[in-house]
Amino acid sequence: MIPVCPLDDLPPGESHRLDLTPPISVFRTDDGELYALDDTCTHQDASLADGWIEECAVECPLHASRFDLRTGKPDGLPAKTAVRTHPVVVVDGVIHVVLLSATEARS
Ligand code: FES
């Protein structure tokens, strides 16, 4: 598990980018739900952490494809491919991302 930040440091409607390889971002919806996605848009090189969270999706800041935070799937062009999702857990008030192997992530 990778520690991200204290839960209190990520307000609803905000995101936190982890500079891993590849980068991963954690998003907190207005409802307080937490989700983690690969940060780089599958269309071009844009950081989804710079996008806008609306309900349970994040809108890419470059060309506005919206990725479902639960599935990573875009709602339409120009992005066609889903970004990977990652489980998020909160342990002792700290957000953590659980990194899955490539095999686990596909199943
Ligand atoms: S870079 Fe994200 S939709 Fe184009």
Side-chain angles (χ1 to χ4, degrees), residues 7 10-15 26-35 51-59 66 69:
L7 180 61
L10 187 62
E14 297 290 328
S15 60
V26 175
F27 301 88
R28 188 170 184 185
T29 67
D30 287 335
D31 292 340
E33 299 293 326
L34 296 166
Y35 300 94
W52 297 273
I53 300 169
E54 294 177 5
E55 297 177 352
C56 204
V58 59
E59 182 177 307
R66 286 168 40 95
L69 293 171

Side-chain angles (χ1 to χ4, degrees), residues 1 29 67 72 91-92:
M1 291 195 302
T29 67
F67 292 86
V91 179
D92 294 333

Side-chain angles (χ1 to χ4, degrees), residues 25 32 36-37 50 53 55 60 63-64 66 69-70 72-74 81 83 90-92 95 103:
S25 286
L37 304 176
D50 293 335
I53 300 169
E55 297 177 352
C60 177
H63 305 113
R66 286 168 40 95
L69 293 171
R70 296 161 293 197
K73 293 180 180 172
T81 305
V83 289
V90 178
V91 179
D92 294 333
I95 301 168
T103 306

